[in-house]
Structure formats: structure tokens, C-alpha cells
Amino acid sequence: MRNSTYVKMALNMLLHSKLRSWLTIVGIVIGVGAVVGILSLGDAMEEQVQSRLSEMDLTKIAISPGYTRAMSNMPGHPGGGDSAMDSELTEDDLDALQGIEGIQYIAGEISGSEEVDYAGENATLSITGVDPQIWKYMTTLETQSGRLLEPTDRYVAVIGNDVASGVYGRDIGVNQVITVNGKSVRVIGILTEEGGFGDSNIYMPIDGAVNLIEDAEKGVFDTIMVKAQSEDLVDTVMEDITDKLMVSRHVMREDEMDFSVTASKSMAESVTEMTSSMTLFLGAIAAVSLIVGAVGIANTMFTSVLEKTKEIGTMKAIGAKNRDILMIFVFNSAMVGFVGGIFGVMLGAFISTLFPILGMTMMRSGGDSGISLSLHLMLFGLVLAIVIGIVSGAVPAYRASRLKPVDALRYE
């Protein structure tokens, strides 16, 4: 028989067993739709993560007091963490790190949350005190209006986009004055919205901030920020920093370390791995639906073989070979998978459109994180459904092809 004959006979079998076939197809549709929808969500998340990582400075290294605070101190996010501050970073630590080969810039920072007044309104906002001499070389933040901090600045501030336009009833503009703990601070710059911590933060020269942030002390830092000369040197610089601080702080063993050294690069790798793992986990859950659909195809095909036993005997009696019977049933099961795959991809596309509506704007608050279904994912869903159909129908098809004509004709 020709392949076109196999297709014609398989299609005829599909059309003449409508209810059973379509119930089986529904199982495939749900399975493929779930897998395609979740994988499209995973693709969108990975794209957002990569987009954010491309905006990060992967040469940055953050040193923070307390060993267990490592994961809560991404560069640009000073403070946080649940563990106690069991040690301090001081000017002595900063001096100990000077001269390490591969360090381009190094500076201490302080941070805290303080009452900030503007236009008769009050809000508690995060303030970060930075070294104005080198901050503009270390940060990736850019100003929407105004300028960044300069070495001669003291009681001035560069504010995040949300602080400028989302906290108070009136927008804050450049050269307007806010009050921090009763002290007037002039706004000299407003940052471009970047969708992260910087949007809701106030940056000040550290000499001015130390007088405004409660509990802050001159010469004591919440974080020491380091910028390596290149991304390739980050690991080496981290090792040198750890060795230097262990010596200067008289730490004899690693399990006695009272500081943490964290690189943007390693944090970025952890986020990427976490995203991939989560997508894989969700995909595995969705695959359970596909297994159920595959069982449904196998069940339908076994039933079809039993129902058509006499027809198989007749076909063999007039010359059909084992291969012909095998191919007819394989084509039939593949056709079930193909039809289920088409509707499954359509369901997956529909599910993908629901994620943004449900507020799942991945990784970038307020960003344009529309989730679209890529062509390769649609093809993957379709091919997956066909393969499942063929695999599920292989055994019933093989059993049908091995029937003896006499036994098949006698079957009741």
C-alpha cells in the first residue's frame, strides 16, 4: 500500500469513531496546552532575567558584615537580611583592601530608613550614603534630569523615579528641597526608572548621610562596594578580599568568618539557574497531563483493534501484509496526536495571553512583559503530540499486525 492509502484509511478510522477519538484528543489538547503554556511562561521569565542581567554590572562585589547575610546583599541593595549584625565594617577594613590587584574602585556605604518630609507630607524612605568621588563610576544608574553626586556635594540627594513622582501628592523636581530628620536636603538629580531598588531610594554623599541616618557612625559601613577591573577578575579578587579580611580581622578559619563577600556575577548565575529549575519543575508537572493523554491514546487504539479484528482478518485475506496493518494503526494514532497537538498549541497560546492579564509581569514591575508564543515552541508542542501518539499506538498497532487471518475472521 502507498502512504496516501495509509493516511486515507487512518483518517476514515478517526472519522468513524468520533466520540472516542475526540475524548482521547481532549486529553492530548490539555496536556500539550499545559506544557506549551508553561514553557512559554518559562521563556518569558528567562528573557526578562537575561534582560535584567544585561543591565547589571557583573564586575561588582559587595562585602557585608555577618557571614549569613551573603544572600541578602546584592549590590545596589544594601541592608536587609534576618541575621544579626555581629560585626562591623570599618575604615580599617577599607584600608586593608586597598592595593589588591584587580580592584578598580572601592568605597564604603551606609544605609537606613528615615522620615522624609516634602510639601507637608511625610514618608519613610530608604537612604544610601555613598562616596561621591567614585559613586558615578561604580553605579549603572542614570539620571532622567539633573546630575549625579560630585565630590564637593554634602547635603544634596539624587532620588529614585518612584520617590520623585509616586510617593508624595506633588512631584519632586530638581533643585527642590526635601527634609530628612529636620535637615534640608536639596535634590540635584532624578534617576531614570529602572524597575529595581534604585527607584525607591535616595542617594546622598556619605558625609552628609552619616549625620541624618539614625545609628550611623562615621567610619563604620553597612557595605563595602568593590568594582573589579573586569568580569574575568571577579573570582580572583573575591578570593584576595576574603584572604585579606581574614588576616586583618584575625579570622583563623572559614567557619569563623564574620563577613560575607558576594559578587553580582554569582548572584546572576544563581538567578538564572533558579529560573531554569522552576521552568523545568513546572514543565514536569504539566507533562503528567501528557502521560494521561498518552494512556488515553493507547486505550483507544487497543479498543479500535478489538473492534476491527474482523476487518483486519478480511484485509489480510485479500492480500494486506503485516506492515500494511501496522502502518494503518500507526498513522491513525499519529493523526490523533496531530489533531490534539494543533488544538493543544492553540490552548497553550490562549493560556500564554492570560499570564499578563493575571498580573504575572515577570521580574520587572510595570514593564512590558507580554508573553508571546514562539514558533519553535509551537512546533515543539505539535511534534511532541505526534510522537506521543505514535509511541502510544505502537503496541496496539503491532498486535493488530500480528493477527492471523483465520483467527481474526473467527473473532466474535
Side-chain angles (χ1 to χ4, degrees):
M1 291 185 186
R2 297 178 179 176
N3 287 338
S4 58
T5 306
Y6 298 145
V7 174
K8 185 178 178 180
M9 297 185 71
L11 182 61
N12 188 52
M13 290 172 61
L14 181 65
L15 295 176
H16 285 82
S17 55
K18 291 181 181 176
L19 179 60
R20 188 175 62 244
S21 296
W22 281 103
L23 288 175
T24 305
I25 287 172
V26 167
I28 297 296
V29 170
I30 295 173
V32 172
V35 170
V36 170
I38 287 176
L39 290 182
S40 68
L41 174 63
D43 284 349
M45 290 173 58
E46 188 171 349
E47 185 179 339
Q48 290 292 328
V49 168
Q50 293 302 325
S51 173
R52 295 300 305 273
L53 293 183
S54 66
E55 297 171 1
M56 288 178 61
D57 184 354
L58 300 182
T59 62
K60 277 188 176 180
I61 300 169
I63 306 163
S64 53
Y67 188 68
T68 59
R69 293 185 63 206
M71 299 306 293
S72 63
N73 285 279
M74 285 186 70
H77 296 253
D82 298 327
S83 63
M85 298 271 289
D86 52 0
S87 60
E88 293 180 338
L89 295 174
T90 65
E91 292 277 5
D92 292 338
D93 298 308
L94 200 61
D95 293 339
L97 300 178
Q98 300 287 352
I100 290 181
E101 190 173 352
I103 290 181
Q104 187 174 16
Y105 298 110
I106 181 169
E109 295 183 358
I110 61 172
S111 58
S113 295
E114 300 297 335
E115 301 286 327
V116 180
D117 297 321
Y118 176 70
E121 295 182 65
N122 177 272
T124 302
L125 300 174
S126 297
I127 299 175
T128 300
V130 298
D131 186 339
Q133 296 190 43
I134 60 175
W135 182 60
K136 62 181 178 182
Y137 303 113
M138 297 184 70
T139 185
T140 56
L141 300 172
E142 297 178 352
T143 53
Q144 175 181 289
S145 57
R147 61 173 176 83
L148 294 176
L149 301 173
E150 297 290 347
T152 56
D153 291 332
R154 188 173 176 86
Y155 289 107
V156 297
V158 175
I159 63 176
N161 202 275
D162 286 349
V163 177
S165 58
V167 175
Y168 301 99
R170 281 173 46 192
D171 290 353
I172 304 175
V174 175
N175 288 326
Q176 291 184 311
V177 176
I178 58 177
T179 304
V180 182
N181 284 339
K183 179 75 177 179
S184 296
V185 176
R186 185 168 59 90
V187 175
I188 60 167
I190 297 173
L191 296 172
T192 303
E193 183 178 7
E194 52 92 33
F197 174 77
D199 287 348
S200 56
N201 196 47
I202 296 175
Y203 296 92
M204 290 184 61
I206 191 167
D207 288 342
V210 74
N211 295 325
L212 302 181
I213 297 177
E214 192 176 352
D215 298 331
E217 296 178 38
K218 191 173 180 58
V220 177
F221 308 115
D222 293 313
T223 311
I224 293 178
M225 297 300 299
V226 175
K227 181 177 175 63
Q229 291 175 349
S230 72
E231 197 176 322
D232 295 335
L233 292 174
V234 167
D235 292 338
T236 304
V237 171
M238 286 181 68
E239 291 177 6
D240 291 344
I241 288 173
T242 302
D243 293 341
K244 284 274 188 179
L245 287 181
M246 287 181 69
V247 172
S248 67
R249 296 168 74 90
H250 308 293
V251 177
M252 303 303 294
R253 303 194 311 266
E254 289 189 4
D255 59 358
E256 295 177 346
M257 284 172 55
D258 55 356
F259 62 91
S260 299
V261 182
T262 311
S264 301
K265 181 181 173 184
S266 41
M267 296 296 289
E269 291 171 351
S270 298
V271 171
T272 302
E273 290 177 7
M274 184 179 66
T275 305
S276 300
S277 299
M278 188 163 62
T279 302
L280 186 63
F281 174 70
L282 294 175
I285 293 175
V288 174
S289 302
L290 273 179
I291 294 174
V292 174
V295 172
I297 291 180
N299 181 54
T300 299
M301 296 305 298
F302 274 117
T303 306
S304 180
V305 169
L306 293 175
E307 289 179 349
K308 297 183 180 303
T309 300
K310 279 197 171 183
E311 291 182 36
I312 294 171
T314 302
M315 292 171 64
K316 285 199 164 185
I318 61 176
K321 299 178 181 177
N322 288 354
R323 180 178 180 278
D324 296 329
I325 304 299
L326 176 70
M327 294 303 293
I328 290 171
F329 280 91
V330 167
F331 269 77
N332 181 243
S333 58
M335 202 167 289
V336 170
F338 176 71
V339 175
I342 290 177
F343 286 99
V345 169
M346 293 171 64
L347 178 63
F350 175 71
I351 292 173
S352 299
T353 62
L354 293 180
F355 288 129
I357 296 174
L358 294 173
M360 301 178 77
T361 52
M362 296 296 104
M363 308 303 292
R364 182 192 291 273
S365 58
D368 53 342
S369 57
I371 299 175
S372 59
L373 204 60
S374 62
L375 178 61
H376 82 272
L377 193 53
M378 289 190 283
L379 291 175
F380 170 75
L382 191 59
V383 171
L384 180 64
I386 295 173
V387 169
I388 287 176
I390 293 174
V391 171
S392 304
V395 174
Y398 177 76
R399 290 187 59 179
S401 68
R402 302 298 294 177
L403 286 173
K404 293 180 180 179
V406 176
D407 294 337
L409 289 171
R410 288 178 178 172
Y411 180 78
E412 295 293 340

